[in-house]
Amino acid sequence: MAFGTVFRLGLVALVAFLAGPVSHFVHITGYFLTPNPTVLGEGQGLIHIEDTIHCEDVHHYHQANLLFTACEDDKSTRLSWFPPLGHMLPLTAQGSIHVVDPKTMKSTRLAFENFQGPFVTHGIDVIEDPEQSNAVYIYAVNHLSNPAYFEAGEPKDVPKAQSQIELFHHILNSDSIRHVRSINHPLIKTPNDIYATSPVSFYVTNDHFYREGPMRLIEDVWRSAKWSNIIHVQIADLASKGAPIEASVALTGLWNNNGLGHGRTDNEVIICSAMGGEMFLATRHESNHSISIDTSVSFSSLADNPSYYHDPYSTDSHDASGFLTAGVSQAIHLVANSKEPNALDPIQVWYATLDSRTGVWEKKVLFEDDGSRLRTASAAVLVPIEPKAGKKLAWLFVTGFMSESMVAVQVEL
């Protein structure tokens, strides 16, 4: 047995001991998993969406039936500079915002207006412009490097990353996107994903307390390292780029809280613990901007950015509405693979529905791959298809932070 295998086995044992419950975390590491790529039936060919390189998040904007995503575009960027993976060799790059039409399966890269700087992409959110029905606001995480660190001789007490949030405005069906302002605050340290409530109010997850080093690794493997949090941010005046930013802690006590999603109601928040393989349904409170956890659902893989699918064709006998999470299914290899351009990272996309009569959660894998068709999965959404012959069908779109392209496949719910 090779030393690397022995080391990984020892690491799995240690992690399982530290993390508990043992069986669940061993499933999440995926060490004993044999990837089982989903066999596609007739008429179920996988579609690769062109020009969608390393798009970590995707949102379905139902009002216009369009998908929005933020992509890195350059395959080399993730391998050197991507703080969420602990990659800290600075590289100047500018990713982009894309719109994908689920009818044509084509991606449109939006030209930036009033935005010149680096843009290292991660989580996003999309909300309607309340004053312009044919327009949206897009919040996007931007992982900038910190000049104060690299230009000052790398002082130990200064972080290498200076991540912030960018706010954009987009007229639907146009080919450009306008930068409104950048948002930074001391409480925004390791931003991952965003839940917007208005053009001037949003929540953002800090997925780690430590940016790099041994303590960050402990955060990843120790279930009791519940040091991540969710921050609420309020912008005083959208019209002024210099308007004050107020921020407060909305939730603490979750392990590696990561992706955020909009739920079944206006005040329901979906939160995922990536390393915990767990999805939380929570309530946000308008009075003080806090968030409280209501229930949780566990999965046997990493759980990244969640989404909720509302079945527009629901009937009394079959409502296919449910929750999706996507994640890497062999986390044991992720750190080593993250700097390998040709590595394979297997994935699973989970679909969870709640039986209203019994209160029991039903979970199934909608799509699985060994990494050859889709490397890493961090977000998935469903776009409905009119039922045929009594079957509930939808297009499943999946993307990942190290994927060559977003993919789409027809699934039965």
Side-chain angles (χ1 to χ4, degrees):
M1 186 179 292
F3 172 77
T5 302
V6 174
F7 175 78
R8 285 193 292 271
L9 273 171
L11 182 61
V12 168
L14 174 62
V15 166
F17 172 76
L18 291 173
V22 173
S23 60
H24 177 60
F25 198 81
V26 169
H27 275 301
I28 298 228
T29 66
Y31 186 81
F32 300 106
L33 173 73
T34 299
N36 185 27
T38 299
V39 177
L40 302 179
E42 185 178 352
Q44 283 188 301
L46 197 69
I47 298 173
H48 292 264
I49 311 298
E50 295 183 4
D51 193 29
T52 53
I53 299 171
H54 296 178
C55 309
E56 195 269 349
D57 197 5
V58 60
H59 285 260
H60 181 213
Y61 186 65
H62 303 273
Q63 294 90 318
N65 192 28
L66 295 171
L67 306 181
F68 287 86
T69 186
C71 305
E72 202 55 49
D73 299 331
D74 185 342
K75 297 177 184 178
S76 66
T77 304
R78 286 278 192 263
L79 302 176
S80 59
W81 176 261
F82 192 54
L85 287 175
H87 297 177
M88 295 290 195
L89 297 176
L91 178 68
T92 300
Q94 187 180 70
S96 55
I97 304 290
H98 295 238
V99 180
V100 176
D101 187 336
K103 294 181 179 179
T104 64
M105 300 296 177
K106 301 294 183 183
S107 171
T108 299
R109 184 189 298 228
L110 302 178
F112 286 126
E113 299 176 17
N114 195 35
F115 186 65
Q116 303 296 328
F119 184 36
V120 179
T121 63
H122 204 171
I124 67 169
D125 200 8
V126 184
I127 58 169
E128 183 180 15
D129 181 346
E131 299 179 355
Q132 195 172 356
S133 60
N134 68 329
V136 294
Y137 283 98
I138 301 174
Y139 280 101
V141 172
N142 185 5
H143 290 295
L144 299 174
S145 61
N146 188 358
Y149 177 86
F150 293 101
E151 295 174 4
E154 303 182 358
K156 293 183 179 180
D157 59 342
V158 176
K160 295 178 183 178
Q162 189 176 340
S163 302
Q164 62 186 29
I165 312 300
E166 311 294 350
L167 177 59
F168 299 95
H169 187 264
H170 171 65
I171 306 297
L172 295 174
N173 299 314
S174 70
D175 58 3
S176 65
I177 187 169
R178 176 176 59 86
H179 186 247
V180 177
R181 66 165 295 166
S182 298
I183 303 157
N184 49 66
H185 190 276
L187 288 180
I188 301 175
K189 297 179 178 179
T190 56
N192 185 301
D193 201 13
I194 299 168
Y195 177 111
T197 60
S198 79
V200 295
S201 174
F202 66 93
Y203 294 86
V204 56
T205 53
N206 284 313
D207 57 25
H208 287 78
F209 181 84
Y210 294 93
R211 290 178 169 89
E212 57 182 327
M215 290 302 294
R216 182 186 175 92
L217 178 59
I218 289 176
E219 277 194 89
D220 285 338
V221 302
W222 187 31
R223 191 178 186 88
S224 295
K226 297 179 178 181
W227 308 324
S228 60
N229 59 24
I230 298 177
I231 304 299
H232 176 261
V233 180
Q234 185 78 38
I235 305 171
D237 182 5
L238 196 62
S240 172
K241 289 196 172 186
I245 300 295
E246 295 182 2
S248 60
V249 177
L251 180 68
T252 60
L254 293 183
W255 177 32
N256 189 213
N257 68 185
N258 195 289
L260 294 173
H262 294 263
R264 296 161 293 187
T265 63
D266 287 343
N267 65 346
E268 186 173 63
V269 184
I270 318 170
I271 309 166
C272 276
S273 165
M275 291 303 299
E278 197 166 6
M279 177 186 75
F280 301 91
L281 300 184
T283 300
R284 63 180 181 89
H285 304 282
E286 292 282 1
S287 58
N288 60 5
H289 305 301
S290 66
I291 294 175
S292 58
I293 301 297
D294 299 319
T295 190
S296 66
V297 183
S298 296
F299 302 95
S300 298
S301 71
L302 297 190
D304 215 315
N305 300 319
S307 66
Y308 175 69
Y309 172 71
H310 170 70
D311 179 9
Y313 303 106
S314 65
T315 64
D316 292 339
S317 61
H318 188 188
D319 183 356
S321 301
F323 298 85
L324 282 90
T325 68
V328 173
S329 56
Q330 287 189 314
I332 190 70
H333 304 304
L334 183 58
V335 173
N337 285 355
S338 67
K339 292 188 178 181
E340 295 294 331
N342 299 315
L344 300 180
D345 290 291
I347 64 97
Q348 290 178 333
V349 179
W350 290 87
Y351 170 60
T353 58
L354 179 63
D355 190 319
S356 60
R357 296 167 298 178
T358 64
V360 174
W361 284 95
E362 299 177 356
K363 298 173 287 185
K364 68 177 181 179
V365 175
L366 268 188
F367 182 73
E368 183 174 4
D369 197 55
D370 61 3
S372 59
R373 295 181 295 188
L374 179 70
R375 179 186 176 183
T376 73
S378 49
V381 295
L382 287 168
V383 176
I385 299 172
E386 187 173 353
K388 299 176 181 178
K391 294 182 178 180
K392 287 289 183 74
L393 304 173
W395 281 105
L396 173 67
F397 291 83
V398 193
T399 189
F401 52 89
M402 296 287 285
S403 59
E404 293 286 321
S405 67
M406 183 185 301
V407 300
V409 62
Q410 193 174 126
V411 295
E412 183 176 351
L413 304 176

